[in-house]
Amino acid sequence: MVRDSRTCKYFLSRMVQAKVDMAEKPIKVVRTLETLEQHAEQVHASLYYLVLESCEVTQPEALDAAGHMGKGVGLATLLRDVSEDARKDKVYLPTDLCRKHKLNYGQVQQGYNSDELSEVIFQVAARAKGHLDEAKRRHGALPSALKPFLLPCVPALEYLERLERVNFAPFTNDLQDTALTDLRLKMTLAWRNFAGSL
């Protein structure tokens, strides 16, 4: 498949390069919310574009939904990983927002919630939710066979809702996944797949 398609090669190259950039030049990637959004699009949306191409789907609504879903899922994943990244002394939150809200990186690396951190998390979460909502809006325009394609929106939206319930404090114990959380998510995904809804 990769050998025969320039588009596949392009998206695979974008994904790999974005991962390399995050590993080698994280300061450049996290400079602003927009650069983080671009990184999410290069990694996650490229994966969804590849899935669509492998199924020979060229419908504009599906491609547009893939772009929004990729950005939303990518940003939600970044937020989900804040706690784990902090344990590795890494902070991948947008530098411009951290400066604006006077967020102390040391406190983040030590796992402390603060009003400043919650404000930064809120702004990233709002952007992620906006993209996921845009992807959901396109759900109705997709043929029945393509509706399950948007299921990755479900866990991302579910996490953002949990994050909102704890006032965007990423180090809250209630955000940690448990067997019950996983079971509930699997049941939700199974039902939504069956019902063809998001």
Side-chain angles (χ1 to χ4, degrees), residues 76-93:
T77 300
L78 177 131
L79 293 176
R80 180 185 288 260
D81 291 344
V82 165
S83 180
E84 183 181 331
D85 291 337
R87 284 193 290 274
K88 299 174 187 171
D89 290 331
K90 297 181 188 305
V91 178
Y92 293 124
L93 296 170

Side-chain angles (χ1 to χ4, degrees), residues 7-152:
T7 310
C8 280
K9 287 181 183 178
Y10 169 74
F11 287 126
L12 283 172
S13 296
R14 281 180 85 204
M15 288 169 57
V16 170
Q17 188 57 52
K19 290 286 193 179
V20 168
D21 287 347
M22 183 59 107
E24 293 179 354
K25 303 177 249 181
I27 301 298
K28 181 180 177 187
V29 174
V30 301
R31 187 179 310 139
T32 66
L33 182 51
E34 287 71 28
T35 57
L36 265 180
E37 197 172 33
Q38 182 181 15
H39 174 77
E41 199 266 338
Q42 289 170 341
V43 174
H44 296 272
S46 291
L47 176 63
Y48 300 135
Y49 294 142
L50 281 169
V51 169
L52 289 175
E53 182 169 315
S54 70
C55 297
E56 299 180 351
V57 174
T58 57
Q59 193 175 0
E61 293 86 359
L63 295 169
D64 196 33
H68 284 294
M69 183 168 65
K71 290 176 187 177
V73 168
L75 292 173
T77 300
L78 177 131
L79 293 176
R80 180 185 288 260
D81 291 344
V82 165
S83 180
E84 183 181 331
D85 291 337
R87 284 193 290 274
K88 299 174 187 171
D89 290 331
K90 297 181 188 305
V91 178
Y92 293 124
L93 296 170
T95 306
D96 62 339
L97 293 180
C98 292
R99 284 187 185 141
K100 177 181 175 183
H101 297 288
K102 298 179 174 50
L103 177 62
N104 180 327
Y105 281 6
Q107 286 185 326
V108 176
Q109 290 169 334
Q110 293 173 17
Y112 293 120
N113 287 313
S114 65
D115 291 341
E116 296 82 9
L117 176 60
S118 292
E119 187 57 40
V120 172
I121 296 290
F122 166 74
Q123 291 191 18
V124 177
R127 184 73 61 94
K129 178 132 178 21
H131 283 297
L132 293 168
D133 287 343
E134 283 298 318
K136 279 179 65 174
R137 277 190 197 83
R138 281 138 181 92
H139 185 260
L142 298 178
S144 296
L146 276 180
K147 291 189 185 290
F149 172 72
L150 293 180
L151 284 174

Side-chain angles (χ1 to χ4, degrees), residues 168-185:
F168 302 98
F171 299 112
T172 306
N173 288 335
D174 293 347
L175 284 176
Q176 305 311 313
D177 289 330
T178 63
L180 182 60
T181 311
D182 290 343
L183 179 62
R184 189 179 310 129
L185 179 58

